[in-house]
C-alpha cells in the first residue's frame, strides 16, 4: 500500500511517510497532521523516536476558534502539554528522512502540508488511499473491509505490535489508548494467534528446564 501511494500523481509521493506514520507508529491522522520536525528524532541508523505532543483533528471550520477546519489540541485522552514518546523502526525513520530531504517542512515546522502550506485534509489523503488500494488489491479483496479506510493503517500497525508479542500495556501506551480500550478493540488480534502464543510458552518452559534455578522456575 505504501509503495502504491507513491504512484498516485503529485500528491501521492508526499503522503507515503504520512501513511507510514500511521502504520509504523500507530498514529491517528490528526496526530500526523500536527507532527512537527522538532518532535522527531531521526538517526542515520537504527530506531528513532517521535515525541508526540498534539493532535489536529478535522472538525469543520464552524467548530473552531480560528475558522480553519482543523482544531489544534492536546493529545487525545491526555492532559494539556502531555507528550507521548513513540519509538519508530528504521523503516519509518528512512521514510521520514527522505520526506524531509525532498519536501522540507511548512513554515511552522509541520512535516506534512498541502502545496500551499495548508493542513493536509482527509478529502485529499482519502482519495490517494482509495486509488492505491484499487491498484494493489484484487476485486474480491476490494469488496472486503481490508484497508478500507486510511485509519486502518493505524489498526494494522497496532495489530502487528500485539501479534509480535509486545506487552499489551506498552502497545496501549504507544497507541495512546487505555488498556481497557485496547483490549476491547483488538481482542481478536490478542486472542487469535494461538500458535505464536504456544511457541512463546514452549520456549519459556524449555529455558526453565535447562535452568531450573532461574527466579521464575518451579
Amino acid at each position: 500500500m505504501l509503495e502504491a501511494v507513491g504512484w498516485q500523481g503529485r500528491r501521492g509521493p508526499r503522503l507515503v511517510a504520512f501513511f507510514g506514520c500511521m502504520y509504523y507508529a500507530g498514529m491517528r491522522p490528526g496526530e500526523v497532521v500536527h507532527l512537527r520536525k522538532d518532535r522527531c528524532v531521526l538517526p542515520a541508523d537504527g530506531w528513532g523516536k517521535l515525541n508526540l505532543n498534539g493532535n489536529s483533528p478535522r472538525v469543520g471550520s464552524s467548530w473552531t476558534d480560528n475558522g480553519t477546519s482543523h482544531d489544534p489540541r492536546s493529545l487525545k485522552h491526555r492532559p494539556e502539554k502531555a507528550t507521548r514518546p513513540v519509538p519508530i523502526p528504521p523503516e519509518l525513520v528512512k521514510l521520514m528522512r527522505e520526506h524531509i530531504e525532498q519536501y522540507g517542512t511548512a513554515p511552522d515546522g509541520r512535516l506534512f502540508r498541502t502545496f500551499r502550506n495548508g493542513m493536509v485534509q482527509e478529502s485529499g489523503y482519502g482519495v490517494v488511499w482509495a486509488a492505491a488500494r484499487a491498484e494493489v488489491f484484487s476485486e474480491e479483496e476490494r469488496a472486503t473491509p481490508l484497508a478500507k479506510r486510511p485509519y486502518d493503517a493505524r489498526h494494522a500497525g497496532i495489530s502487528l505490535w500485539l501479534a509480535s508479542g509486545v506487552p499489551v500495556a506498552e502497545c496501549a501506551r504507544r497507541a495512546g489508548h487505555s488498556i481497557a480500550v485496547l483490549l476491547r478493540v483488538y481482542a481478536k488480534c490478542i486472542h487469535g494467534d494461538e500458535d505464536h502464543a504456544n511457541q512463546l510458552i514452549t520456549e519459556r518452559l524449555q529455558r526453565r528446564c535447562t535452568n531450573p534455578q532461574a527466579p521464575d522456575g518451579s
Side-chain angles (χ1 to χ4, degrees), residues 71-137:
D71 184 21
R73 58 182 66 171
S74 60
L75 294 169
K76 190 174 183 179
H77 307 310
R78 294 294 186 275
E80 191 162 351
K81 297 185 179 180
T83 61
R84 188 173 89 241
V86 179
I88 58 173
E91 290 85 351
L92 180 55
V93 172
K94 180 175 183 292
L95 287 179
M96 297 183 72
R97 287 173 64 95
E98 291 174 347
H99 177 88
I100 294 170
E101 181 179 354
Q102 187 162 1
Y103 303 111
T105 65
D108 63 357
R110 281 178 294 113
L111 264 64
F112 304 103
R113 51 181 171 154
T114 65
F115 293 109
R116 297 183 179 180
N117 289 325
M119 294 281 194
V120 177
Q121 302 289 334
E122 183 178 0
S123 57
Y125 68 72
V127 168
V128 171
W129 182 264
R133 185 177 187 270
E135 289 203 32
V136 299
F137 289 155

Side-chain angles (χ1 to χ4, degrees), residues 34-53:
H34 191 87
L35 184 63
R36 285 160 171 75
K37 184 180 178 182
D38 64 359
R39 310 304 300 182
C40 306
V41 179
L42 306 173
D45 297 296
W47 281 67
K49 183 174 289 187
L50 303 179
N51 294 299
L52 307 183
N53 70 333

Side-chain angles (χ1 to χ4, degrees), residues 200 202-212 214:
L200 292 174
T202 297
E203 291 173 359
R204 173 63 71 177
L205 290 173
Q206 289 174 344
R207 288 201 296 272
R208 295 286 68 75
C209 290
T210 57
N211 185 16

